[in-house]
Amino acid sequence: MKIGKLAQLAQCTVETVRYYEREGLLAAPARTAGNFRLYGAAHIERLRFIRNCRALDMSHDEIRNLLALADRPAEGCGAVNAVFDQHIVHVDERIRELAQLKEQLSALRQRCAGEQAVDTCGILQGLAAMETEARHERHTHLG
Amino acid sequence: MKIGKLAQLAQCTVETVRYYEREGLLAAPARTAGNFRLYGAAHIERLRFIRNCRALDMSHDEIRNLLALADRPAEGCGAVNAVFDQHIVHVDERIRELAQLKEQLSALRQRCAGEQAVDTCGILQGLAAMETEARHERHTHLG
DNA sequence: GTACAACCTGAAGTTACTATAGAGAAAAGT
DNA sequence: ACTTTTCTCTATAGTAACTTCAGGTTGTAC
């Protein structure tokens, strides 16, 4: 099958497929005489795997890692578990960060009820007065 | 004061300050005879405001919006509230997305307890078998 | 034979910065 | 006064995971 069909089956765009090939996530397939990419069942499986990992917000590095592990069927899957556990930690951290953010935002939001002039707006005053904190370095690739 | 002092007071790097100037978030200041940027109290206030917005994970577009509103003191702050409410919605959505993600990840994680070979690993099987869903377009800039 | 969709490559744009290189200016030490 | 160190300047490239664009080729339908 050609790239359009593959992309459709994996629910992504053809540009994304070509991008994954450049990135080394998806092996370069055979070509037709006219230079069109020709994919088979193995490619669908691989791409689906990648897209599912992405749906779980894994980074390309994490995915590359997982794919390499999956390609050595004889080995144990302790490493797979490790990648997964690490990723779950990332997600957890980000959820906690956002929850805290939401509290701050809600507190600020309550400082302005209605339609006063902006120079007495509690939100803007709050934003100007907040204690500026150093940028927290992020330990997760999740934004 | 020069850029290093300003950056220190706002808890960011000098590169970030220069970047904000290029982006139009911070007005270009006067220069010394030696071409060094010279900042005053108004710049500190402005930069603090920006950094506080960033600490709340607002995008530059949202911040630009707020700054423009704050610069028209006579007008009502309904628009400010709107920016804020919209941003809170973004954060909420992202929290829900991540919570759902975590459930999926935990469910998958339970499919592999220990050290079997990877070709029978429940996690990898799960990743290969998951129903591939179309990439949800994001309505938030939060990762 | 000609219109049109699907495909090709390569490069640039996105966000909010960070990092680097190479050079000039100012401050500190002797 | 001289040297060393620190600060600042501009311009450019890199980050993640794509998307978009420009310009050209192939395949297919009528």
Side-chain angles (χ1 to χ4, degrees):
Chain A
M1 94 198 70
K2 284 182 292 184
I3 197 170
K5 190 73 196 298
L6 178 71
Q8 184 194 326
L9 288 176
Q11 298 276 42
C12 66
T13 69
V14 301
E15 288 84 10
T16 301
V17 176
R18 287 195 282 247
Y19 172 65
Y20 287 164
E21 184 181 322
R22 276 202 307 281
E23 286 295 290
L25 288 175
L26 201 58
R31 300 282 184 127
T32 68
N35 201 30
F36 285 15
R37 289 171 179 81
L38 268 189
Y39 297 96
H43 291 100
I44 305 179
E45 203 178 322
R46 193 79 158 191
L47 183 53
R48 278 231 175 93
F49 187 101
I50 296 169
R51 293 307 291 172
N52 287 335
C53 288
R54 287 295 301 136
L56 296 173
D57 262 353
M58 291 183 196
S59 70
H60 282 187
D61 268 355
E62 287 173 320
I63 297 172
R64 237 185 297 273
N65 216 324
L66 239 37
L67 285 171
L69 292 169
D71 282 344
R72 292 197 288 278
E75 281 178 50
C77 57
V80 172
N81 293 353
V83 170
F84 239 68
D85 287 338
Q86 185 59 42
H87 185 60
I88 290 175
V89 168
H90 287 169
V91 173
D92 249 353
E93 273 174 7
R94 186 57 180 154
I95 288 176
R96 267 200 307 280
E97 282 175 11
L98 286 178
Q100 204 194 331
L101 212 57
K102 196 196 160 181
E103 269 187 42
Q104 283 187 69
L105 285 167
S106 300
L108 263 180
R109 179 61 181 87
Q110 289 187 353
R111 300 181 49 163
C112 177
E115 278 294 340
Q116 63 245 39
V118 299
D119 50 5
T120 64
C121 171
I123 292 178
L124 292 178
Q125 284 173 3
L127 281 174
M130 260 173 71
E131 203 47 57
T132 309
E133 26 177 287
R135 187 84 178 129
H136 50 283
E137 5 154 1
R138 51 190 45 191
H139 5 249
T140 143
H141 62 275
L142 302 171
Chain B
M1 95 197 70
K2 285 182 291 183
I3 197 169
K5 190 73 196 299
L6 179 71
Q8 185 194 328
L9 289 177
Q11 299 275 42
C12 66
T13 68
V14 302
E15 288 83 10
T16 301
V17 176
R18 287 195 282 248
Y19 172 64
Y20 287 165
E21 185 180 322
R22 277 202 306 280
E23 286 295 290
L25 288 175
L26 201 58
R31 300 281 184 129
T32 67
N35 200 30
F36 286 14
R37 289 169 179 83
L38 268 190
Y39 297 97
H43 290 101
I44 305 179
E45 204 178 321
R46 192 80 158 190
L47 183 52
R48 277 232 177 94
F49 187 100
I50 296 170
R51 294 305 294 172
N52 287 335
C53 288
R54 287 294 302 138
L56 296 173
D57 261 354
M58 292 184 197
S59 70
H60 283 186
D61 268 355
E62 287 172 320
I63 297 172
R64 236 185 296 273
N65 218 324
L66 280 180
L67 286 172
L69 292 170
D71 283 344
R72 291 196 288 278
E75 280 179 52
C77 58
V80 173
N81 293 354
V83 171
F84 238 70
D85 286 339
Q86 185 58 44
H87 185 59
I88 290 176
V89 168
H90 287 169
V91 173
D92 249 352
E93 273 174 7
R94 185 59 179 152
I95 288 176
R96 268 201 307 280
E97 281 176 12
L98 286 178
Q100 203 195 331
L101 213 57
K102 196 194 162 183
E103 269 187 42
Q104 283 187 68
L105 285 167
S106 299
L108 264 180
R109 179 62 181 87
Q110 289 188 353
R111 299 181 49 162
C112 178
E115 277 293 342
Q116 61 245 39
V118 298
D119 50 5
T120 63
C121 172
I123 291 178
L124 292 177
Q125 284 173 2
L127 281 174
M130 259 174 72
E131 203 47 57
T132 310
E133 26 177 286
R135 187 79 177 136
H136 49 283
E137 3 152 0
R138 52 190 47 193
H139 4 250
T140 143
H141 59 276
L142 303 170

